[in-house]
Amino acid sequence: MTGELSPIDKAKFVAAKRAAEMVEDGMRVGLGTGSTAAWLVRCLGEMVSRDGLKITAVPTSSRTAALARDVGINVVSLDEAKWLDMTIDGADEFDADLNLIKGGGGAHLQEKIVATASDQMVVIADASKSVERLGAFPLPVEVLPFGWQSSQALIEETLVSMDVMGRTTTLRMNGDAPFVTDEGNYILDLHLKRIGNARQLALVLNQIPGVIENGLFIDICDTVVIGYGDGRVEVRDINEGTVEKDRLDFAETDNLFTDLTD
């Protein structure tokens, strides 16, 4: 029940609940991947079953697709939907310009494709994801398995000329084997500590042979919904230059999310 949630989970819940209120009947909506996005899917599922909300959803990963179907949301592919009204997703970090680092869940390739095929992107996050400068969270870079070590070497060589504090790169693992994305690729995590010029780094990384996509989302996010553990919610709109503040009440008997895990 929400009354038993930790402050960080309460923050994720209220951010997701507030963002779900932005979804209108008939919309085509991109659904993100990760623990915060999972709260959103459950909120939308409740609106579908309780209020008769009719939406068409494009998930950004196989696990989001499975959850969406479980809660009764109509799921289609991006090719079927063609274009989306809105994508709602989480983030590992966001700065004052709403530039993001994403990919902690390993789905940033699909997430970026879906987000850029939308009229607007809304990010939901707890307040801890707000940073002055991107880079504390390791930057995910999806690479082809073929020659991944060569790609890693080229990335490390490229980082020497970039405005970053750290240059360590590691292959993401799943137990004793490399983590494999939905597209069958590997992920290299770049431990940069601080990124001085995120736009330049995003462009340069994607020029390296073997690199599929990086986790920097530059000029893609339009709105961020920030949740706090006490129920406060802040909505920042980068296009309108507005900041709205609200507070959502918790229903102590609400058990929509008792089986969600990070």
Side-chain angles (χ1 to χ4, degrees):
M1 294 186 294
T2 54
E4 301 169 351
L5 294 177
S6 67
I8 193 72
D9 283 332
K10 288 180 180 179
K12 292 177 180 180
F13 169 61
V14 295
K17 188 174 183 181
R18 178 64 179 84
E21 295 172 357
M22 300 178 181
V23 178
E24 300 175 1
D25 207 50
M27 275 190 169
R28 293 163 295 177
V29 183
L31 301 177
T33 297
S35 60
T36 310
W39 297 89
L40 168 78
V41 174
R42 286 299 181 91
C43 285
L44 291 174
E46 176 70 4
M47 293 167 67
V48 167
S49 62
R50 182 192 64 207
D51 305 325
L53 177 71
K54 293 181 175 59
I55 59 172
T56 301
V58 175
T60 55
S61 68
S62 56
R63 55 190 182 276
T64 295
L67 178 58
R69 291 189 181 99
D70 285 346
V71 298
I73 297 174
N74 179 37
V75 172
V76 301
S77 69
L78 182 57
D79 287 335
E80 290 174 284
K82 294 183 172 57
W83 194 261
L84 306 177
D85 300 291
M86 176 187 298
T87 287
I88 307 176
D89 203 348
D92 298 303
E93 286 185 346
F94 65 89
D95 64 16
D97 295 321
L98 304 195
N99 293 316
L100 321 169
I101 285 182
K102 289 180 52 54
H108 58 279
L109 173 56
Q110 286 193 29
E111 289 171 336
K112 189 175 285 191
I113 292 171
V114 170
T116 53
S118 307
D119 287 337
Q120 60 176 317
M121 181 190 189
V122 176
V123 160
I124 49 177
D126 62 87
S128 70
K129 302 300 193 299
S130 176
V131 298
E132 184 175 338
R133 191 176 290 273
L134 300 176
F137 191 91
L139 174 65
V141 177
E142 186 160 343
V143 298
L144 283 172
F146 176 80
W148 72 265
Q149 290 177 314
S150 296
S151 299
Q152 182 180 30
L154 288 169
I155 289 171
E156 291 175 346
E157 182 180 340
T158 298
L159 290 176
V160 173
S161 61
M162 295 289 102
D163 183 8
V164 296
M165 285 187 64
R167 299 187 184 92
T168 302
T169 67
T170 56
L171 178 67
R172 187 177 299 183
M173 303 296 290
N174 182 15
D176 295 330
F179 175 91
V180 178
T181 69
D182 280 356
E183 292 74 35
N185 299 316
Y186 292 169
I187 289 181
L188 295 172
D189 288 311
L190 280 51
H191 304 267
L192 307 176
K193 300 180 181 178
R194 182 191 63 82
I195 300 172
N197 189 332
R199 186 184 308 277
Q200 179 191 44
L201 180 61
L203 291 171
V204 170
L205 285 173
N206 280 5
Q207 299 303 310
I208 296 173
V211 169
I212 306 300
E213 188 55 80
N214 67 81
L216 286 167
F217 283 51
I218 309 298
D219 297 333
I220 296 176
C221 176
D222 300 284
T223 304
V224 63
V225 181
I226 308 166
Y228 295 84
D230 60 0
R232 287 181 296 124
V233 180
E234 184 176 305
V235 182
R236 301 180 190 172
D237 188 312
I238 194 71
N239 300 313
E240 300 295 331
T242 57
V243 178
E244 298 178 8
K245 297 184 179 181
D246 196 2
R247 183 184 294 272
L248 299 183
D249 294 327
F250 293 104
E252 296 296 323
T253 58
D254 192 343
N255 61 359
L256 287 174
F257 312 106
T258 54
D259 60 345
L260 286 183
T261 56
D262 287 350

